[in-house]
Amino acid sequence: MLTLWKAIGIIVGVVVMFGIQTCLSDDQINRASFPKGFVFGTASSAYQYEGAVNEDGRGKTIWDTFSHTFGKILDFSNGDVTDDHYHRYKEDIQLIKDMGMDAYRFSIAWSRIFPNGTGQINQAGIDHYNNLIDALLEKGIEPYVTLYHWDLPQALHDKYGGWLDRQIIEDFAVYAETCIEKFGDRVKNWITFNEPHTFAVQGYDVGLQAPGRCSILLHVFCKEGNSAVEPYTVAHHTLLSHAKVADIYRKKYKEKQLIPPTTLKQHKELKIFSLAGMDDGNSPFTSIKDALKDEKRIRYFNGYLLNLLAAIRDDGCNVKGYFAWSLMDNWEWAAGFSSRFGLYYVDYKNNLTRYAKDSVQWFKKFLIQTY
Ligand SMILES: *[C@@H]1O[C@H](CO)[C@@H](O)[C@H](O)[C@H]1NC(C)=O
Ligand SMILES: *[C@@H]1O[C@H](CO)[C@@H](O)[C@H](O)[C@H]1NC(C)=O
């Protein structure tokens, strides 16, 4: 099983919502403190960033439905526009480049490739991600692509309950293989699922995220669902989907690759990529000027990276990269725009203008100036 995981290069994604206590002292660290080739990147996800929900043939997702259901989102917002990353990706790639990052993790919206989840391919969706990938490579930034960051095509949910039915394994595999066929000549790092535990629990146990199913207190909170059964069914089908795609990838796309003898030591072959970031906990009334002074986030990054380094050096963990969540403030699911995780601040009241927070300067220094 571990080799399958390795084959797909899965990212172990843990978004830590709140600051962690630093176990080590505030030593000065920078890129050179990490093993050679260690990857530093930042990350995003389609529904939280793209907007353009009705453009170029994109199909509806369960998050479009959920965010437009009254009372589900803290600030009554939705992801219709969010950061407009769909149109501004070129400017945003420059922001990544400015920090000296090596990589960018983004997700493909399944419903841009297959508007109905299955069936006909939407060429405009393929074109968009081709352009994004090419623009990244042009700037020397390595793409890391998440296939599923929670935005299930609504059509599959309507047709058979989405993750609740075994058919999803087949449909996910077709979608995944389509992406690998179309983009695999340039994309070498694939992540099947972002935080599978979260969408199983939040979506089907407590119902706080799409599709909002649960049976807590006799369906006071959710119209439909079964919290005792559904999250487990969803998790089961997710694991089987991951295994199927990993298997296809290994057999069909990595066939000719020489497998080194160290593969037998499976634990050494499990490459870990970490994803973590922090919400700054500011109120909606915090001024832009104050929000840009994100000392707390800098302490968080410093502490997190110190501990990641300790895991590599002291415990022999095979950590190969770190992605800072997130490139810029974005639509944070049920918290809407009330929660800001960005390295860059986004002014939602003024044409979505991006401003560098102090974290950006910190990363610049960490990645470029001291190296
Ligand atoms: C999606 O399904 C709808 C309804 O069945 C259909 O009208 C439409 O043509 C389908 N779109 C694609 C791209 O397959
Ligand atoms: C808003 O920002 C976009 C992207 O930078 C730019 O193309 C557009 O002209 C701006 N619109 C206005 C009204 O300033």
Side-chain angles (χ1 to χ4, degrees):
M1 210 42 204
L2 284 180
T3 49
L4 293 186
W5 282 61
K6 183 247 165 187
I8 200 92
I10 195 165
I11 295 224
V12 178
V14 182
V15 174
V16 180
M17 305 281 284
F18 302 100
I20 49 160
Q21 290 298 317
T22 306
C23 305
L24 299 171
S25 64
D26 274 6
D27 296 331
Q28 282 302 306
I29 51 166
N30 58 48
R31 186 195 272 278
S33 320
F34 284 77
K36 206 168 181 293
F38 191 90
V39 175
F40 286 96
T42 184
S44 71
S45 94
Y47 190 70
Q48 293 177 277
Y49 269 69
E50 287 182 353
V53 291
N54 293 317
E55 281 179 58
D56 296 342
R58 174 188 181 274
K60 236 175 131 174
T61 72
I62 55 171
W63 270 100
D64 295 279
T65 307
F66 191 76
S67 68
H68 282 270
T69 305
F70 183 79
K72 299 294 184 190
I73 311 300
L74 191 65
D75 59 2
F76 307 102
S77 64
N78 56 59
D80 286 4
V81 177
T82 182
D83 288 335
D84 194 29
H85 186 55
Y86 188 78
H87 296 118
R88 304 186 191 203
Y89 67 90
K90 280 190 184 151
E91 297 166 42
D92 294 338
I93 289 170
Q94 188 58 47
L95 300 180
I96 303 169
K97 183 76 191 163
D98 289 346
M99 279 187 282
M101 296 277 189
D102 314 309
Y104 179 47
R105 174 183 155 169
F106 64 90
S107 79
I108 291 177
W110 184 342
S111 74
R112 287 197 193 277
I113 309 299
F114 292 103
N116 287 338
T118 128
Q120 236 183 312
I121 294 177
N122 174 36
Q123 187 56 40
I126 303 283
D127 293 345
H128 172 70
Y129 293 109
N130 269 332
N131 293 340
L132 173 60
I133 292 161
D134 290 345
L136 284 166
L137 293 174
E138 222 168 86
K139 296 271 177 196
I141 298 166
E142 188 73 14
Y144 281 65
V145 177
T146 312
L147 289 165
Y148 187 76
H149 203 125
W150 306 358
D151 46 355
L152 182 75
Q154 182 68 41
L156 297 185
H157 185 78
D158 295 344
K159 200 156 130 194
Y160 54 70
W163 294 109
L164 292 168
D165 193 281
R166 273 189 92 83
Q167 179 59 36
I168 196 74
I169 303 165
E170 211 53 55
D171 290 343
F172 179 73
V174 170
Y175 156 63
E177 201 174 342
T178 302
C179 291
I180 295 165
E181 285 280 350
K182 300 284 182 189
F183 312 122
D185 56 331
R186 288 151 294 152
V187 175
K188 302 299 173 193
N189 310 281
W190 296 94
I191 299 134
T192 45
F193 292 98
N194 178 71
E195 297 173 277
H197 175 266
T198 304
F199 72 81
V201 171
Q202 296 295 319
Y204 299 84
D205 182 0
V206 294
L208 293 174
Q209 296 193 349
R213 294 176 66 87
C214 71
S215 55
I216 300 167
L217 295 176
L218 304 169
H219 295 105
V220 170
F221 297 117
C222 313
K223 274 199 220 106
E224 292 174 327
N226 184 343
S227 300
V229 176
E230 291 187 359
Y232 303 97
T233 310
V234 167
H236 184 58
H237 292 151
T238 305
L239 289 172
L240 291 174
S241 300
H242 168 78
K244 188 175 172 89
V245 170
D247 212 27
I248 290 170
Y249 191 71
R250 185 172 55 87
K251 286 195 180 130
K252 248 175 107 170
Y253 299 93
K254 295 213 105 179
E255 220 162 30
K256 293 189 192 73
Q257 186 169 312
L258 190 68
I259 300 168
T262 51
T263 301
L264 288 173
K265 292 183 194 162
Q266 288 184 327
H267 63 284
K268 290 265 188 235
E269 285 296 300
L270 179 65
K271 294 179 184 168
I272 300 169
F273 289 84
S274 170
L275 172 78
M278 184 194 159
D279 161 55
D280 51 23
N282 287 333
S283 88
F285 308 108
T286 306
S287 69
I288 298 180
K289 191 162 154 277
D290 288 342
L292 299 185
K293 292 192 199 108
D294 61 340
E295 260 316 300
K296 213 161 77 180
R297 185 179 282 104
I298 291 173
R299 279 205 305 280
Y300 167 83
F301 285 133
N302 194 68
Y304 192 90
L305 289 169
L306 268 171
N307 285 287
L308 205 57
L309 192 56
I312 297 167
R313 281 188 188 164
D314 306 342
D315 304 334
C317 287
N318 200 18
V319 188
K320 295 293 189 190
Y322 169 68
F323 290 85
W325 182 269
S326 181
L327 171 60
M328 65 184 101
D329 296 336
N330 59 83
W331 193 78
E332 184 55 31
W333 310 110
F337 294 114
S338 71
S339 180
R340 293 174 177 269
F341 275 82
L343 295 165
Y344 287 87
Y345 182 95
V346 176
D347 186 356
Y348 297 110
K349 295 196 187 92
N350 185 11
N351 194 26
L352 306 172
T353 309
R354 284 85 158 122
Y355 297 97
K357 298 181 190 176
D358 288 351
S359 291
V360 168
Q361 308 307 331
W362 185 84
F363 263 112
K364 257 187 210 177
K365 196 161 160 250
F366 182 98
L367 293 171
I368 309 171
Q369 287 158 16
T370 51
Y371 187 49

